[in-house]
Amino acid sequence: MNRKKIRQILMLLTCIAVMAGVAIRRNGKLLGHDLKATTEASDTKTAAVKDTMQVLSDGTIVINTLPLGKDITGFAGQVPLNIYLKNGVIDKVEAQPNHETPDFFEQASALLTKWNGKKTDEALALKVDGVSGATFSSRAIIGNMRAGLQYASQKAVMPTIFEKMDLSIKTIAGLLVVLLAAILPWFFKNKNYRTLQLILNVVVLGLWCGTFLSYSVFVNYMANGIDVWTSFIPIVMLITAFIYPLFGKKNYYCTYICPCGSMQDLAGKAKVKKWKMGAKTVKRLTFFRKALWTVLMLLMLAGVGFEWMDYEIFSAFIITSASTVVLLLACLFFILSVFVPRPYCRFICPTGTLFKVAQDSK
């Protein structure tokens, strides 16, 4: 193995270590292990049950799904709930603090009243669909409700593999598109197909599935681990972003898969006069991107400034839940892309910069 390859592997490991540090600072967890939890002998099984279930003075039973849903995560981590049961009937469901993007979670919170007024068995049998535009948060709410209700009725049953898997048409379509993008460019290069793939990336992966790599995704996975059964598409994306470069395919995810990069490439196909940028200007803007990334990473490692992750423009693809600021930023860079090749990717994108650092490229 040559020095260049060794250096590349070391840079990848360094980035993983740094992201692990960020996850610990933000969530206090690493790969599902709560590093803030006490290990005193008094933390017995009985104590855990008391934490999971409380009885209020009026007889209301409160089920806390935090310890029950350790493997159930939304877009940015766990989404624990408090389920209030009065005389065997669900009185209300409240969300506990979480790290979900506020705009997404506000949409998904519409689900919290779906189980009100139902008995435990009725609620368990109830089929609730997720909120379009807030798929990850919706899935986490539904999963936590199931875990809490099973605990309350003492009918906790391990779900089958097929129950764990997301086999919706949307997910299957997204998986096909990302696999095409991950495989075909290795063997087949054609301008017309390239355009078709860009369109599929934007429409299917971006607008329909709302699946992309971002800092929120990285921190969530580092803090809580990856649920393989519901993360087929992101796993393929992660392989192309971090493993492919080890085999000489640098910038593969950004070039062939990223919905945001694909959108900019499509905008750049407009037949208008392009802006000419001098070498010094490009160099300064590239330096700005690197400096911005460095500052953001230092802030997060210091335990502050995590909110910026909610403003990466990728979330603009989830139009119904994206904030106005993110939508405006996305529109701005889309318009700029008509005149300047991939302006967000080249001069701003913190996620893309992480990929470059991990693969030891400029």
Side-chain angles (χ1 to χ4, degrees):
M1 187 179 295
N2 58 41
R3 291 184 178 180
K4 186 176 181 181
K5 186 65 66 177
I6 293 174
R7 177 183 167 86
Q8 192 175 353
I9 293 174
L10 288 175
M11 291 302 293
L12 174 58
L13 294 175
T14 300
C15 286
I16 292 173
V18 170
M19 292 307 299
V22 172
I24 293 170
R25 292 292 288 173
R26 182 175 186 255
N27 296 65
K29 298 169 64 178
L30 182 62
L31 298 178
H33 299 287
D34 191 347
L35 303 182
K36 292 183 179 179
T38 60
T39 57
E40 299 176 2
S42 60
D43 289 341
T44 61
K45 184 177 180 180
T46 301
V49 171
K50 288 182 179 179
D51 290 338
T52 306
M53 183 175 71
Q54 299 179 36
V55 181
L56 304 183
S57 58
D58 64 353
T60 298
I61 296 174
V62 183
I63 304 296
N64 168 22
T65 70
L66 181 60
L68 301 173
K70 292 180 179 179
D71 298 325
I72 303 170
T73 59
F75 186 72
Q78 278 188 266
V79 184
L81 307 173
N82 284 329
I83 305 171
Y84 292 77
L85 295 165
K86 197 166 186 177
N87 298 322
V89 175
I90 298 174
D91 183 46
K92 63 179 178 178
V93 180
E94 291 181 345
Q96 296 183 39
N98 58 65
H99 294 292
E100 296 295 276
T101 303
D103 295 299
F104 291 174
F105 193 70
E106 183 179 354
Q107 295 257 342
S109 295
L111 296 176
L112 296 177
T113 60
K114 295 290 185 180
W115 296 271
N116 289 356
K118 292 180 171 53
K119 294 181 179 180
T120 305
D121 287 347
E122 294 175 339
L124 272 172
L126 185 66
K127 299 294 183 182
V128 177
D129 295 324
V131 176
S132 177
T135 305
F136 295 98
S137 297
S138 298
R139 187 185 299 153
I141 289 174
I142 295 168
N144 272 272
M145 279 299 301
R146 180 180 177 85
L149 292 170
Q150 286 177 337
Y151 177 87
S153 63
Q154 299 301 311
K155 292 182 179 179
V157 178
M158 287 297 292
T160 66
I161 291 177
F162 290 105
E163 288 176 328
K164 291 181 180 179
M165 295 171 64
D166 182 357
L167 296 176
S168 64
I169 295 176
K170 178 170 67 175
T171 298
I172 293 172
L175 184 59
L176 287 174
V177 170
V178 78
L179 286 174
L180 286 173
I183 297 172
L184 284 188
W186 283 67
F187 311 102
F188 180 69
K189 296 188 183 297
N190 177 280
K191 288 184 178 180
N192 292 331
Y193 168 72
R194 164 73 175 163
T195 301
L196 175 61
Q197 184 69 59
L198 292 175
I199 294 171
L200 289 174
N201 292 345
V202 171
V203 175
V204 179
L205 297 180
L207 296 173
W208 192 15
C209 296
T211 306
F212 39 78
L213 297 182
S214 67
Y215 261 85
S216 292
V217 171
F218 299 148
V219 175
N220 176 25
Y221 288 162
M222 289 303 303
N224 302 290
I226 301 177
D227 182 356
V228 176
W229 304 111
T230 60
S231 305
F232 295 131
I233 300 173
I235 286 173
V236 175
M237 290 180 169
L238 286 168
I239 291 171
T240 61
F242 293 107
I243 305 302
Y244 273 29
L246 297 177
F247 297 92
K249 298 293 183 178
K250 292 186 176 183
N251 303 317
Y252 193 96
Y253 170 79
C254 297
T255 303
Y256 295 104
I257 298 177
C258 177
C260 184
S262 298
M263 177 73 84
Q264 292 174 83
D265 278 346
L266 288 173
K269 291 181 178 295
K271 294 182 179 181
V272 299
K273 185 176 181 180
K274 308 300 181 183
W275 295 347
K276 293 183 178 180
M277 300 177 65
K280 286 185 177 180
T281 301
V282 172
K283 186 176 181 179
R284 288 169 182 167
L285 290 172
T286 302
F287 175 79
F288 170 77
R289 172 176 56 79
K290 295 177 180 178
L292 174 65
W293 179 80
T294 302
V295 170
L296 293 175
M297 291 303 298
L298 290 175
L299 286 173
M300 291 193 295
L301 288 172
V304 296
F306 297 107
E307 294 80 7
W308 72 265
M309 291 189 291
D310 294 334
Y311 295 94
E312 286 194 279
I313 67 172
F314 309 122
S315 57
F317 283 105
I318 311 176
I319 298 173
T320 57
S321 301
S323 69
T324 302
V325 173
V326 170
L327 289 172
L328 289 175
L329 286 172
C331 290
L332 172 63
F333 281 104
F334 176 73
I335 294 171
L336 286 175
S337 299
V338 174
F339 306 98
V340 179
R342 287 188 171 229
Y344 183 76
C345 301
R346 294 166 64 200
F347 307 128
I348 299 292
C349 187
T351 294
T353 305
L354 177 68
F355 296 153
K356 290 180 181 295
V357 174
Q359 62 196 21
D360 192 29
S361 65
K362 296 180 180 180

